[in-house]
Amino acid sequence: SSLDRLSELPDVFRRIGNISAMECTVVCIDNSEFSRDGDYAPTRFQAQADAVNLLAGAKTQAHPEATVGVLTMSGKTPRVLVTPTPDLGKVLNCMTNIEIDGECNVSSSVQIAQLALKHRQNKNQRQRIVIFVCSPVTEDKEKLVKIAKKLKKNNVAVDVVSFGAEDENQEKLEAFLEAVNSSGNSHLVTVPPGPVLSDVLISSPIFQGEGGSGFGFAGGVGGAGGGASGADGFEFGVDPNMDPELALALRVSLEEERDRQNRAAAAAAAAAGAAQAEGAGAGVSASAAEGATAVAGIAGAAATPGPVAVPGVGAAGVSGDMDLDEDALLQQALAMSMEIDNAAAAAQEAAAAANDVTTPAPTAAPVVTPGAPQVAVAPPPADLDVMDEDAELQLALQLSMQDSGPDNKEDQK
Amino acid sequence: MAKDLLEYIEFSTLECLNEAPNHGAALALKQGYREQDELYLESDTDEQLLLNIRFTNRVRLQSIVIKATDEAKAPKRVKLYTNRPSLGFSDTSSVPCAQEIELSPAQLAKGDPISLKLVKFNNVDVLSIFIEDNQGGEETTKLCKIALFGTTGEVFNVAEIKKVGEEK
């Protein structure tokens, strides 16, 4: 399994992988009668289910060992539908079988969630509960604060999503949040009717998390939305189960690129930025085979997008940013894989280009060696301006997917 | 002879449940920090604290020092558990402790070493220190130093292996 293979990666990657905190999250769902209401399209319950699916996806993608569990708060008793698991499929499956019934019992649910967290397999995981509330909370404020203090004492962070009964619950939930919050690890997001619940959540701290761990996922969603229908919706357009090394390499390059972009965010905008962002979104999904000159072009392209990508950050709007980062990180990943086979040539290129984008790449390159996608050796770079950015990306992705073909057979057990 | 086990404490995995945000366990344990009384460990939501300390080597604990300057908030009953990684507050009532100590104000003020039952602390990988309450029944507990003394497991020195029976 991909988790086993994680141990094959060099220590550096494992350490870097811990940038986004490794968490065990238990999601508490409000499946009370109140969730039938259609004020959030199509129903409160369905909007919630969509958000939970996205959240579970984001958490499991952010860290390979993250686990997510689900429990329902209404009905005769709160029930754990899925004990914390890294398997996104199980979570998505259980969401389809939920019945709407009764009223929520928040205090019991939180107790049960806490127990589920306590019995998590990996004790190194941080503990988090995410509670969706769309019905009036019956517990009084004092009781909620008492529960919150117990959670804080046991180092459990809590995110609360309040929608549907926001006004009634606001005071109680605010008191709850204040009591459970420890140095900003907990959040309360109130969503008024109107905007799509999932959209609001994606840009909230609940997804963005610590160190922007949700950021990459948001980028994936933005790219998939803007791109062709072929997008599989996975972060970076690569299935981490098929190719964990590449997924991890891409995530590392995203982190580095984000750091670099933060520093260069003030750079002047260029018109090419916006167009490039759109092209990247489509390029992730589709694939096209091209000649060796295209391969050569990639090495050079990886060196050049720096000055172009940077202005793109400034130029493009909020949605454009997400696509651009995906693009930038893909290029960085490509640069890294090119480095392995052609370290000297690429290093020279990087030096010649005197460019930030590739400077992180050479340092990462020697470490990426085991199992990283092997791309064909590049002949001297061709005329880059002629190459379509989009086409280069498509080719590179296609090549790396092909090259990890033999790896896939190993992975499928 | 008993030595300070500070260098064997694994700070990366150090966990202290219910510690206040800016008054964490590191301030009581780390070199330099623990000597300064103004840098203290304090509890958060109530008066209890639970430290889980992992060691890089297997150690034999011989004594513990706990120093506190605030008399009323100083720890009173302390329970020590061995080799229970990720012990939680709810476990403290069900899991048997290796030793229970009741600290006196004199011990706390001077930071006297308190001897431990050697048999129970022979092979310790993880030490959990559960501070149950404080001297004055205050809402929070404060302490400025925790030090652990003992020896590390005998290191097998390969160079000491001598050939037997062939000396001529």
Side-chain angles (χ1 to χ4, degrees):
Chain A
S1 80
S2 56
L3 289 180
D4 295 335
R5 301 200 60 186
L6 205 64
S7 58
E8 295 171 32
L9 293 173
D11 268 4
V12 169
F13 266 172
R14 232 179 292 143
R15 265 188 288 121
I16 292 176
N18 290 329
I19 287 175
S20 50
M22 180 167 51
E23 269 184 348
C24 177
T25 308
V26 173
V27 182
C28 300
I29 293 181
D30 185 337
N31 59 323
S32 66
E33 295 286 350
F34 291 86
S35 66
R36 289 189 198 277
D37 200 321
D39 51 1
Y40 293 80
T43 60
R44 288 183 191 174
F45 180 76
Q46 197 50 50
Q48 200 183 166
D50 291 343
V52 172
N53 290 340
L54 279 171
L55 180 65
K59 296 261 179 199
T60 49
Q61 303 284 27
H63 196 290
E65 292 177 52
T67 54
V68 177
V70 177
L71 73 80
T72 47
M73 296 200 285
S74 305
K76 293 208 188 72
T77 60
R79 257 200 331 139
V80 176
L81 299 181
V82 178
T83 54
T85 171
D87 186 349
L88 178 60
K90 279 197 196 152
V91 175
L92 299 180
N93 258 345
C94 86
M95 293 301 299
T96 59
N97 296 330
I98 303 181
E99 281 182 13
I100 295 184
D101 177 32
E103 282 187 353
C104 281
N105 187 336
V106 175
S107 52
S108 304
S109 305
V110 169
Q111 271 183 316
I112 295 176
Q114 222 183 325
L115 259 180
L117 285 171
K118 194 171 125 94
H119 292 292
R120 63 196 186 286
Q121 286 196 318
N122 183 348
K123 304 289 181 190
N124 287 329
Q125 283 171 323
R126 310 249 218 100
Q127 306 174 74
R128 180 174 294 273
I129 299 178
V130 177
I131 313 179
F132 284 82
V133 181
C134 59
S135 53
V137 172
T138 48
E139 286 84 357
D140 60 25
K141 193 157 74 160
E142 288 71 37
K143 187 160 185 202
L144 285 176
V145 169
K146 202 166 155 220
I147 295 173
K149 287 195 171 167
K150 188 163 175 237
L151 290 168
K152 180 151 99 155
K153 187 176 170 186
N154 286 286
N155 224 356
V156 179
V158 181
D159 288 332
V160 181
V161 180
S162 174
F163 67 111
E166 317 91 86
D167 295 331
E168 285 175 76
N169 291 332
Q170 193 63 17
E171 201 192 325
K172 288 184 183 177
L173 294 178
E174 277 179 359
F176 177 80
L177 180 80
E178 205 189 310
V180 81
N181 192 10
S182 172
S183 334
N185 65 355
S186 301
H187 313 94
L188 166 61
V189 177
T190 310
V191 187
V196 177
L197 184 66
S198 310
D199 287 349
V200 174
L201 288 179
I202 286 175
S203 50
S204 75
I206 292 184
F207 269 71
Q208 297 298 325
E210 299 154 58
S213 60
F215 182 87
F217 179 80
V221 171
S229 57
D232 53 13
F234 283 109
E235 192 180 28
F236 312 133
V238 173
D239 182 350
N241 290 321
M242 301 291 269
D243 198 347
E245 292 91 351
L246 178 59
L248 199 49
L250 290 171
R251 184 152 50 85
V252 168
S253 55
L254 168 67
E255 305 273 3
E256 287 171 344
E257 182 60 26
R258 233 174 8 94
D259 287 333
R260 198 192 57 76
Q261 281 177 358
N262 288 340
R263 281 180 270 123
Q276 189 180 20
E278 284 312 298
V284 172
S285 45
S287 61
E290 296 199 20
T293 44
V295 176
I298 290 162
T304 48
V308 187
V310 168
V313 175
V318 175
S319 56
D321 270 348
M322 295 181 188
D323 294 344
L324 187 61
D325 289 313
E326 209 180 318
D327 171 22
L329 66 89
L330 265 169
Q331 284 162 352
Q332 254 209 297
L334 296 175
M336 279 162 70
S337 42
M338 292 306 292
E339 292 293 337
I340 298 155
D341 286 334
N342 211 359
Q348 277 171 13
E349 265 185 66
N355 190 309
D356 276 359
V357 174
T358 48
T359 21
T363 48
V367 186
V368 178
T369 326
Q374 304 292 304
V375 186
V377 175
D383 188 352
L384 314 161
D385 296 333
V386 177
M387 269 312 290
D388 182 44
E389 203 79 53
D390 187 0
E392 285 165 9
L393 283 167
Q394 292 168 12
L395 170 72
L397 206 53
Q398 177 70 353
L399 282 168
S400 58
M401 292 303 281
Q402 283 168 355
D403 284 320
S404 30
D407 288 350
N408 290 345
K409 288 192 183 151
E410 257 182 78
D411 274 328
Q412 289 156 9
K413 293 186 183 169
Chain B
M1 285 283 90
K3 62 180 179 185
D4 193 333
L5 296 174
L6 177 61
E7 61 188 277
Y8 301 102
I9 295 179
E10 204 175 76
F11 282 99
S12 56
T13 54
L14 177 68
E15 187 189 28
C16 180
L17 295 180
N18 203 30
E19 63 180 3
N22 290 327
H23 296 287
L27 296 177
L29 284 165
K30 276 193 176 173
Q31 183 80 36
Y33 296 90
R34 61 186 189 174
E35 303 311 328
Q36 297 191 352
D37 294 344
E38 318 84 65
L39 298 176
Y40 51 85
L41 163 63
E42 186 170 16
S43 65
D44 195 7
T45 47
D46 61 15
E47 72 284 1
Q48 298 187 335
L49 282 164
L50 184 45
L51 282 105
N52 285 320
I53 301 173
R54 183 175 285 275
F55 295 100
T56 52
N57 269 5
R58 206 149 251 208
V59 301
R60 190 175 296 154
L61 274 170
Q62 290 175 337
S63 61
I64 182 173
V65 164
I66 298 180
K67 187 168 171 230
T69 46
D70 187 328
E71 278 180 23
K73 293 189 173 181
K76 189 163 148 197
R77 279 183 303 170
V78 177
K79 286 185 177 169
L80 300 173
Y81 301 81
T82 55
N83 299 333
R84 306 264 181 189
S86 306
L87 192 75
F89 284 106
S90 46
D91 300 321
T92 55
S93 41
S94 49
V95 169
C97 68
Q99 185 162 347
E100 186 170 340
I101 305 170
E102 188 155 330
L103 296 164
S104 72
Q107 285 172 318
L108 288 158
K110 281 191 290 164
D112 280 343
I114 296 150
S115 299
L116 300 173
K117 296 179 197 165
L118 298 180
V119 172
K120 301 261 183 178
F121 294 94
N122 232 349
N123 274 319
V124 181
D125 279 324
V126 182
L127 175 70
S128 302
I129 305 176
F130 171 46
I131 297 174
E132 202 166 352
D133 52 20
N134 54 45
Q135 301 282 340
E138 298 280 339
E139 265 196 41
T140 60
T141 304
K142 264 165 83 162
L143 55 97
C144 43
K145 177 178 177 179
I146 299 179
L148 301 162
F149 295 90
T151 55
T152 53
E154 270 156 12
V155 176
F156 186 51
N157 190 348
V158 179
E160 286 174 28
I161 301 178
K162 291 189 178 92
K163 252 190 183 171
V164 173
E166 281 186 37
E167 286 113 11
K168 276 207 176 146

